[in-house]
Amino acid sequence: MIDVILKEKKFFLLAITCCFFISVYIMYYFCAVKLQVINPLIVIYHINKKILILLFIVLLIITTFCKFTPIVKYFHKFRYLLSLLIFIFLVSLNINGSSIGVWNDIVNDNPDIHDTVLLGQSREIRSDEWKAFTPMALSQKYNNYGYFSDIDRATQTDMFMIYGQPVYDISMVFRPFQLGYLFLDSAGGLSFYWCGRLFALFLATYEFMLLISKKRKLMSLLGAILIAFSPQIQWWFSTNGYIEMIISVEVSIILFDKYMLSNNIFKRVIYTSGIMICAGCFILTLYPPVMILLAYVLLGLIIWVILNNRHNFNINIKTGIATLCTMTFFALLIARPLIMSSDTILTIINTAYPGKREYLGGGLTLSTLFDYPRNIIAPITNHMSNNFCEEARFIDFAPLSYILALFLLIKKKQSAKPDFLVLYMLSINILFIIFTSLQMPDIFYKLTLLNKTSVNRITFVIGLTNIIILVRSVYLIDKYNVKFSIKDYVVICIVCIIITSTSLLYSYNNITNKMFGYIFLLVLVTLICIITITLIINNHSCPKLLLVFLMLVLFTSGFLVNPIRTGIQSVYSHGLSKTIHDIVNKDPDSVWIAEGETIGGDYLLLNGAKTINCVNTYPTLERWHSIDITHENEKIYNRYAHIQINLINDNNQHIPKFRLIQGDIFEVYLNTNELKKLNVNYIVSRRDLFNNTTDTNSIKTIYESNVYKIYKLT
């Protein structure tokens, strides 16, 4: 009876703490973000009713959830069927998370057109998605989904290898999430891509966590939520192949484990096929800054699976031959696009950016490692960095993973050997931290290949491995029945709070409102206490409470990062879009540019126009050499680049021909004769170009709205 009362008290305290955190969260959200006020009396006046309602709802959720353990078992049993049904439902509604609605604000030639966002908001900062990746994908329908396209860059462009766009080719077995474009319309294809990757990531991570936690369902669900809905993943959801690489690593390890435990030759061929498809997905992302780092993680996981299954593994000649034949077949499939795109790959390797870019260590700070709590509020406030994408982190509760791993080594039974997986992940974390903190000899960079990475990509993998360490450590604490005293709880809480709070204070230069920051510190203290206690306390209610808590936190920190929208029809409803379509249908071989500080060529690409200055994923050196005869500016345009073309008259000889603005943006200044040399037929601009050239006879206005004009160059 006493034990029951103690457990109920413990649960009650945790519930109250959780409610306290939520109430403070609502306080800063409505006051510091929505109302822009910090006076305590005004705060109380505005939100006391909201807090009372929220406290009631949170208590109701926690109480209900803790009585509903069968829900988790039901989800686990029917997870694939449920996921498939929900996925089909979402795709049928054309639900996606693209920020493509930013184009509506830019074009803005019809106030009656409304964006189709159901929840959240389009993120202008995610220009790699709405301005580059998605227009490239949508332009493929005008190219009949060919491997090469002359619409992008207005010259032959590899659409498969760079940014991995949908094509009609057998190599699409390594681009499964782009398959929707091949049998659905554009809106359906975009929905298939967004929803498919999220469902696949969640399910793959859940299965992976089941493997490392020996089928602890709740901890596996927690791990899946922490990764799939993390700010780090959501801020970079659509580009750089993060999702594909993580899924590939997780699924290949799951299948490798099954391969070693199976004696059925047919199953082993299936597992080998899956592993090789994952290998192709991983390799063909062609993004070394993350590929190299995840290869370190993958190596440790492979060794761990081998060590775990070495006593149960056996193979005969027949099975070995079948495995080798399967691997050879898929290796040839992987080699095919690498050979077809060999010129593209060589061009990229020889670019000034990103080909010649090197990272030589340094740049890591205390806040880089431990300021993850700032991610909780980033999607709903402007009090953060101007480019929060690069500062997005996993909510990994560091340094909790390190502390639990250390306690585990100290407190568990002496007869038990140290866990290889925990030690390995800790080791590569330490390696990465040293590399990003100190200047090492050049030979170290070359041998480890870490010179091809960057500090932000390294912190991405550190956060991922922290979650792996956390889940594995909690499993081992349960397995070895490690006991924690009250003193241990206090020490862990204090250490976590001091390190994380110091990190946040260090990064306050990016938070404009000091009172807002102090409130946030209060929230942080509560958060660390809840996470620490619920992870290590031996009480079945705690993981359930933690699950509810994390769902609430990750709703704002991750789920609200990308908008939830239906379809893409609003982007094509503008007069400018319709006019471009009409011209392209009548004059399909015409070449277009966007001029000046305007919408950019990517909007033209989105509408099927052959566009010179859409995002050039790799350079067209021959084009720029035609107007830069001496090649003196080659370093400027030999790069992945957003290109701004400015029309000038022949008298402006003092203006430099090319100007580098930043690593992936350059300007080029051209007169009408040079535009003709580039075979330009149509120009889209918001300026009156007759005032920018002496050759007015060559320009004719063929469309004009309240914002943009289309000119024909004759």
Side-chain angles (χ1 to χ4, degrees), residues 507-560:
S507 63
Y508 267 3
N509 60 314
N510 290 327
I511 302 178
T512 57
N513 191 318
K514 291 294 182 181
M515 179 61 72
F516 178 76
Y518 293 132
I519 292 175
F520 190 49
L521 268 183
L522 183 62
V523 173
L524 170 68
V525 172
T526 308
L527 181 145
I528 295 297
C529 288
I530 292 173
I531 297 302
T532 303
I533 294 171
T534 53
L535 280 175
I536 60 181
I537 217 168
N538 291 322
N539 183 346
H540 293 296
S541 299
C542 294
K544 301 165 191 175
L545 174 67
L546 179 57
L547 183 61
V548 175
F549 173 78
L550 284 180
M551 290 173 68
L552 292 170
V553 170
L554 289 169
F555 178 77
T556 53
S557 65
F559 190 75
L560 291 180

Side-chain angles (χ1 to χ4, degrees), residues 107 109 574-581 599 603 684 703 708 710:
V107 177
D109 62 4
H574 297 276
L576 180 62
S577 173
K578 294 175 181 178
T579 304
I580 294 172
H581 272 108
I599 56 176
Y603 186 76
V684 176
Y703 169 82
Y708 290 102
I710 298 178

Side-chain angles (χ1 to χ4, degrees), residues 694-712:
T694 55
D695 189 14
T696 55
N697 294 326
S698 295
I699 297 178
K700 177 183 177 183
T701 305
I702 60 174
Y703 169 82
E704 185 172 356
S705 71
N706 59 328
V707 183
Y708 290 102
K709 304 176 181 68
I710 298 178
Y711 299 92
K712 185 173 183 179

Side-chain angles (χ1 to χ4, degrees), residues 85-297:
L85 292 175
I86 297 171
F87 170 71
I88 293 173
F89 175 72
L90 293 177
V91 173
S92 68
L93 296 177
N94 292 331
I95 299 296
N96 66 76
S98 172
S99 291
I100 196 172
V102 173
W103 290 117
N104 293 320
D105 299 326
I106 294 174
V107 177
N108 195 28
D109 62 4
N110 188 344
D112 295 328
I113 296 174
H114 300 288
D115 200 1
T116 53
V117 171
L118 304 176
L119 181 66
Q121 61 180 350
S122 295
R123 301 285 179 183
E124 186 175 356
I125 190 65
R126 293 305 306 127
S127 57
D128 283 350
E129 184 270 315
W130 62 266
K131 195 176 183 182
F133 186 88
T134 301
M136 286 180 66
L138 297 178
S139 73
Q140 274 293 80
K141 70 177 179 181
Y142 305 106
N143 181 47
N144 296 319
Y145 297 101
Y147 194 100
F148 295 96
S149 171
D150 62 354
I151 297 175
D152 192 292
R153 304 188 310 157
T155 188
Q156 181 169 292
T157 301
D158 190 325
M159 300 302 290
F160 179 83
M161 187 57 65
I162 308 303
Y163 271 0
Q165 300 303 340
V167 301
Y168 279 122
D169 192 89
I170 192 172
S171 300
M172 285 299 287
V173 68
F174 305 116
R175 305 272 196 226
F177 304 115
Q178 296 282 28
L179 289 173
Y181 285 103
L182 305 183
F183 62 88
L184 300 171
D185 61 13
S186 295
L190 186 63
S191 179
F192 188 97
Y193 174 78
W194 277 86
C195 297
R197 293 166 86 240
L198 181 60
F199 277 79
L201 176 63
F202 185 83
L203 290 173
T205 307
Y206 178 71
E207 296 294 338
F208 175 73
M209 292 298 171
L210 283 173
L211 179 64
I212 68 172
S213 68
K214 298 297 182 182
K215 299 191 182 300
R216 268 62 171 183
K217 298 181 184 66
L218 274 172
M219 279 310 301
S220 300
L221 189 56
L222 290 173
I225 291 173
L226 282 173
I227 290 178
F229 295 100
S230 69
Q232 178 78 71
I233 291 296
Q234 294 300 319
W235 282 101
W236 290 95
F237 190 83
S238 67
T239 56
N240 292 346
Y242 282 11
I243 309 295
E244 286 79 359
M245 283 186 276
I246 293 176
I247 293 173
S248 298
V249 168
E250 292 174 338
V251 173
S252 61
I253 290 300
I254 294 166
L255 295 177
F256 183 50
D257 179 72
K258 292 180 180 295
Y259 179 92
M260 292 195 70
L261 294 175
S262 175
N263 292 317
N264 183 294
I265 186 171
F266 177 74
K267 287 184 178 180
R268 280 186 162 178
V269 168
I270 297 297
Y271 297 148
T272 304
S273 300
I275 292 170
M276 292 303 294
I277 290 173
C278 289
C281 290
F282 187 88
I283 293 168
L284 295 176
T285 56
L286 213 67
Y287 189 62
V290 176
M291 288 173 62
I292 292 168
L293 299 171
L294 284 179
Y296 278 90
V297 177

Side-chain angles (χ1 to χ4, degrees), residues 600-625:
D602 306 282
Y603 186 76
L604 311 183
L605 179 69
L606 184 70
N607 289 281
K610 295 182 179 181
T611 310
I612 288 177
N613 63 328
C614 58
V615 173
N616 282 209
T617 51
Y618 57 101
T620 311
L621 296 180
E622 298 82 3
R623 171 179 289 147
W624 303 122
H625 286 166

